[in-house]
Amino acid sequence: MVTMVQALNRALGDAMRADPSVVVFGEDVGTLGGVFRVTDGLTKEFGPDRCFDTPLAESGIVGVAVGMAMQGLRPVVEMQFDAFAYPAFEQVASHVAKLRNRTRGAVQTPIVIRVPYGGGIGGVEHHSDSSEGLYAQVPGLKVSTPATVSDAYVLLREAIADPDPVVFFEPKRLYWSTAEIDLPASAPGSGRAEIRRPGSDVTLMTYGPSVPLALEAADAATAELGLDVEVLDLRTLVPLDEASIIDSISRTGRGVVVTEAPSFAGPAAEIAALAHEHCFYSLAAPIRRVTGLDIPYPPPAYEHHYLPSVERILDTLLDLEWEEPFTRAA
Amino acid sequence: MRTSADHHETSTTRLLPSPVPVRFLDEDGRLGPEDERGGFAIPTDEALLETYRWMAIGRRFDTEASALARQGRLAVYPSSRGQEACQVGGVLALGSEDWLFPTYRDTVSLVVRGIDPVESLSLLRGEWHCGYDPVASRVAPQCTPLATHLPHAVGVAWAARRRGEDVVAMAFVGDGGTSEGDFHEALNFAAVFGVPVVFLVQNNRWAISVPLEIQTHAPSLASKGVGYGVRGEWVDGNDAVAVTAMLADAVRYARAERAPVLVEALTYRMAAHTNADDDRRYREASEVDVWQRRDPVSRLESYLVNTGALVQDDIDAVAKESESLAERIRDGLAGDVREGADDVFAHVYAHPPERLMRQRADVLAAE
Ligand SMILES: Cc1ncc(C[n+]2csc(CCOP(=O)(O)OP(=O)(O)O)c2C)c(N)n1
């Protein structure tokens, strides 16, 4: 039995063993092993020159990572929580993402920025943002977000080996999810979506923390509505596996995008637009979105209003154009 | 027994800059009193002649680039006129393995560092964001988001140290840039990491239209070092003798002690912020006149002529060298910028997403 945290930890350790240019640093990642224990034991095994704590300054952390990359290192930095990554945004958008282009490829920035993200953990304010859309819109960055334990291992290893910078979004609420697998895990690489549940009536397109939710909703839709629901896990937002989205929607003719990120100008809007542009003649209904609300992430007592739920997904499925209107079983 | 208060006293004193800028020359280029020199020795004639040569070349480069900007051959040009001592003194203090982190205003420093003068203007010509190979030249791309290159210098120095290489990073920043968070984060990281970075603040008194008084209430920008445990030094930035002595020492110290140094050079931006700026809206011409009398190039020239180290033939030779450099720039920038749509797609990613390749195909097809 392996947890997602263990898979991420093993991915970091294996990458550091395989490549001495990999260095890991951030806030509390050394002695403590990270507030989520993802870097547990790395300082002990690899020494304080390979995994270490830094002053508390996110822009500085990413900024020094840029300098290290200029010298051929592969820094993997941890932002302690989603909303605490914002101070580093200037370094990410102006340097990490652009240095390769600015220098016509003379300088690469093979930096991985790990961001624990998303809600559903009862966190007080500033601990539950889904900011992946902000980064997905910055040319030069890749954006990865695993939903399974195997993917956590495989996608992180791939991100570290990637010559391009990757913002690696780790769904906090899945940190303690488990799988019966052996490490090192195997899975397809980045840029490829995976069908987690095949279906023929409608496709739920989703990623990261919303994948288990979509699977639950798909089971409920089968049980309650007799619908055969496909669940497509996108796995990486940049690059996006457009072919798999187009293929699935062309087959089912209906789609709903499920994300925790807010709806307006968010990843779900991009995915819906893509499906409309490419699958217009196959569509029996407009692509719909079930997303976080366009409000600041609420306090724990209110977060059930914000988060996509099985209920909201089922309501949206019902609301798609069907030849025979549905009535829900119970 | 030493108390912690004693310790605090001595370590704080050791890190604090002098209460007035260190200087060697008065405004007419005559050697001033020894007690103003901060304990630094006068650099050798050889070093000062090299400094003079590059300052004269730098001045000519700056004049030419400013003219080319007015003619529309450059998209924009931020002049460093008046800051030649820093542009040159900083670079000449570095060894060949060391790194330089310049800003948009420091194009002259690139030329001193050996970057091809035409390539050095690539950014300001609007040709490409960086016209040279930063790794081969050990000169980072000129940085425009203020102070954001300072943590990069720390990262480069850290990585070099880890490899056991003897590399000092020198990073330039303006007085305005010292108000940015990254300035403080970089000083703090450099001190905590124990890495050799020389932070050179060219305090030219103005950040576009905003005067120094609105950036800081500190007694000097150099005094900001002490809060991070970083040695601070304050120097007359228009006195090339003092700047040369100070920066050579700062680089030596950083290398030997594996520690950062913060040097504030008090200078003045003689031209408007860029050719697109109108400085009559925010400063008096009389202020500029005062600083004209402290011109760093003529000050050093007078000093070297008075000591006999520099003769008219040398001055003529440097003028000739400067003139041919100006001509090279004019020729190099005479044609149109060569560009092709492919360039804007070619280096965004090592492995570009398919989507980008489709956009590229569309744009190329439309060309
Ligand atoms: C982060 C950031 N904010 C604003 C600007 C716009 N800007 C360009 S130069 C400048 C003034 C900078 O002054 P200073 O640091 O003193 O350097 P100087 O231009 O005088 O060399 C400003 C505000 C910028 N480049 N970066």
Side-chain angles (χ1 to χ4, degrees):
Chain A
M1 198 84 119
V2 178
T3 66
M4 185 180 277
V5 166
Q6 287 168 335
L8 293 165
N9 178 261
R10 176 69 182 271
L12 289 171
D14 286 354
M16 291 171 88
R17 253 183 298 279
D19 181 352
S21 69
V22 176
V23 289
V24 173
F25 55 96
E27 298 160 6
D28 301 295
V29 301
T31 315
L32 180 66
V35 292
F36 295 106
R37 307 293 183 265
V38 174
T39 57
D40 190 31
L42 298 180
T43 303
K44 197 153 174 245
E45 181 175 352
F46 298 98
D49 245 20
R50 299 284 306 278
C51 177
F52 53 93
D53 293 325
T54 66
L56 244 166
E58 292 75 13
S59 187
I61 290 169
V62 176
V64 299
V66 170
M68 292 176 189
M70 292 172 89
Q71 289 275 45
L73 296 184
R74 288 181 179 271
V76 181
V77 301
E78 176 171 309
M79 299 284 108
Q80 201 157 66
F81 282 88
D82 34 55
F84 305 136
Y86 299 136
F89 197 77
E90 183 183 28
Q91 285 290 345
V92 176
S94 293
H95 294 297
V96 175
K98 289 180 180 158
L99 199 50
R100 176 173 223 288
N101 185 59
R102 288 170 74 210
T103 63
R104 291 189 191 271
V107 181
Q108 312 226 36
T109 46
I111 297 169
V112 177
I113 301 167
R114 296 183 33 247
V115 185
Y117 85 118
I121 56 154
V124 296
E125 64 170 342
H126 310 300
H127 290 80
S128 299
D129 284 9
S130 291
S131 46
E132 66 274 20
L134 300 180
Y135 297 86
Q137 223 197 9
V138 179
L141 298 179
K142 291 182 176 169
V143 176
S144 202
T145 174
T148 69
V149 177
S150 300
D151 272 3
Y153 180 89
V154 170
L155 292 178
L156 183 54
R157 283 300 301 270
E158 215 179 284
I160 297 170
D162 199 322
D164 292 314
V166 180
V167 189
F168 193 85
F169 281 93
E170 300 169 2
K172 280 194 284 286
R173 69 156 105 177
L174 300 183
Y175 265 155
W176 304 278
S177 62
T178 55
E180 294 287 351
I181 57 157
D182 290 321
L183 292 174
S186 60
S190 66
R192 274 188 280 167
E194 283 275 279
I195 296 173
R196 298 289 178 209
R197 183 190 197 276
S200 56
D201 292 331
V202 56
T203 307
L204 296 179
M205 296 166 279
T206 187
Y207 56 82
S210 304
V211 171
L213 178 77
L215 287 168
E216 198 188 324
D219 287 344
T222 304
E224 293 181 31
L225 310 173
L227 278 179
D228 191 15
V229 182
E230 179 148 307
V231 175
L232 188 64
D233 175 2
L234 300 171
R235 303 173 73 242
T236 55
L237 289 179
V238 184
L240 185 65
D241 184 353
E242 301 182 5
S244 291
I245 294 171
I246 293 165
D247 173 69
S248 179
I249 297 298
S250 301
R251 278 189 286 104
T252 61
R254 291 178 175 84
V256 176
V257 193
V258 184
T259 73
E260 257 184 62
S263 134
F264 186 75
E270 181 59 41
I271 294 160
L274 176 92
H276 283 129
E277 280 170 14
H278 292 271
C279 310
F280 186 70
Y281 294 106
S282 315
L283 284 175
I287 304 289
R288 295 283 300 271
R289 289 172 276 169
V290 175
T291 68
L293 306 177
D294 294 326
I295 57 169
Y297 197 90
Y302 297 78
E303 70 180 338
H304 61 283
H305 295 296
Y306 176 94
L307 291 168
S309 62
V310 169
E311 203 62 19
R312 273 168 67 194
I313 295 171
L314 289 185
D315 284 347
T316 306
L317 287 176
L318 273 178
D319 209 29
L320 299 173
E321 316 278 327
W322 300 99
E323 283 89 55
E324 314 240 322
F326 278 99
T327 41
R328 285 182 70 172
Chain B
M1 209 180 80
R2 259 166 59 124
T3 65
S4 74
D6 289 338
H7 174 70
H8 179 74
E9 240 279 298
T10 51
S11 51
T12 303
T13 316
R14 190 171 53 81
L15 297 173
L16 277 175
S18 51
V20 293
V22 168
R23 74 171 200 171
F24 283 62
L25 302 182
D26 68 16
E27 294 190 0
D28 301 320
R30 279 186 302 261
L31 214 49
E34 203 175 332
D35 62 3
E36 291 182 353
R37 297 180 201 162
F40 295 97
I42 301 182
T44 61
D45 277 355
E46 195 193 354
L48 291 177
L49 286 169
E50 184 68 354
T51 302
Y52 169 76
R53 175 174 157 257
W54 278 114
M55 284 174 66
I57 294 173
R59 170 65 57 88
R60 184 67 189 88
F61 176 95
D62 194 80
T63 310
E64 189 63 33
S66 300
L68 289 165
R70 280 193 302 275
Q71 294 159 22
R73 303 234 58 113
L74 293 178
V76 65
Y77 184 71
S79 167
S80 59
R81 188 182 182 85
Q83 301 177 212
E84 288 85 356
C86 299
Q87 293 291 303
V88 175
V91 175
L92 293 186
L94 296 175
S96 60
E97 298 302 301
D98 297 335
W99 273 75
L100 179 68
F101 285 79
T103 77
Y104 51 88
R105 192 171 303 287
D106 305 314
T107 313
V108 167
S109 78
L110 305 186
V111 178
V112 181
R113 187 67 176 152
I115 305 259
D116 177 85
V118 176
E119 284 177 15
S120 78
L121 287 166
S122 193
L123 166 76
L124 301 169
R125 193 188 185 194
E127 187 178 25
W128 199 256
H129 312 300
C130 175
Y132 50 90
D133 180 338
V135 179
S137 58
R138 300 196 162 226
V139 179
Q142 284 175 285
C143 187
T144 306
L146 300 172
T148 58
H149 58 312
L150 305 181
H152 306 171
V154 176
V156 159
W158 187 91
R161 190 197 63 186
R162 181 173 163 237
R163 274 209 295 265
E165 291 170 6
D166 176 21
V167 170
V168 173
M170 179 178 286
F172 287 10
V173 64
D175 44 299
T178 66
S179 300
E180 292 280 0
D182 274 2
F183 170 78
H184 302 271
E185 297 190 17
L187 280 170
N188 191 40
F189 272 73
V192 171
F193 283 1
V195 290
V197 180
V198 178
F199 297 95
L200 175 59
V201 181
Q202 295 180 83
N203 175 3
N204 64 13
R205 253 202 73 73
W206 291 96
I208 310 183
S209 67
V210 179
L212 186 66
E213 297 75 50
I214 294 181
Q215 300 299 342
T216 186
H217 196 56
S220 67
L221 296 170
S223 66
K224 288 178 184 252
V226 68
Y228 303 103
V230 174
R231 177 183 149 195
E233 294 286 355
W234 202 12
V235 66
D236 178 342
N238 283 24
D239 173 353
V241 178
V243 171
T244 300
M246 169 81 75
L247 289 176
D249 183 74
V251 170
R252 231 177 357 250
Y253 171 89
R255 206 185 297 286
E257 304 293 322
R258 298 189 163 207
V261 193
L262 171 65
V263 179
E264 174 191 1
L266 192 61
T267 179
Y268 192 76
R269 196 194 74 208
M270 295 301 289
H273 174 66
T274 68
N275 54 298
D277 175 40
D278 179 2
D279 62 343
R280 287 169 307 184
R281 292 178 67 94
Y282 54 82
R283 69 179 183 185
E284 299 293 332
S286 56
E287 184 184 294
V288 182
D289 292 342
V290 169
W291 282 88
Q292 181 61 47
R293 289 201 289 279
R294 302 174 185 156
D295 180 61
V297 182
S298 46
R299 221 162 134 191
L300 180 62
E301 188 176 292
S302 306
Y303 170 71
L304 290 172
V305 167
N306 287 339
T307 62
L310 186 72
V311 295
Q312 192 58 43
D313 280 355
D314 303 328
I315 298 174
D316 294 345
V318 172
K320 209 168 145 210
E321 194 183 352
S322 305
E323 224 31 69
S324 78
L325 177 100
E327 203 175 312
R328 266 203 62 205
I329 304 169
R330 270 196 308 277
D331 291 349
L333 302 189
D336 289 333
V337 171
R338 276 200 313 272
E339 60 90 16
D342 202 23
D343 291 350
V344 299
F345 294 99
H347 303 294
V348 183
Y349 293 92
H351 304 305
E354 267 173 62
R355 181 189 186 84
L356 197 68
M357 298 320 282
R358 277 205 310 277
Q359 273 186 8
R360 172 179 171 275
D362 289 348
V363 171
L364 291 182
E367 257 199 322

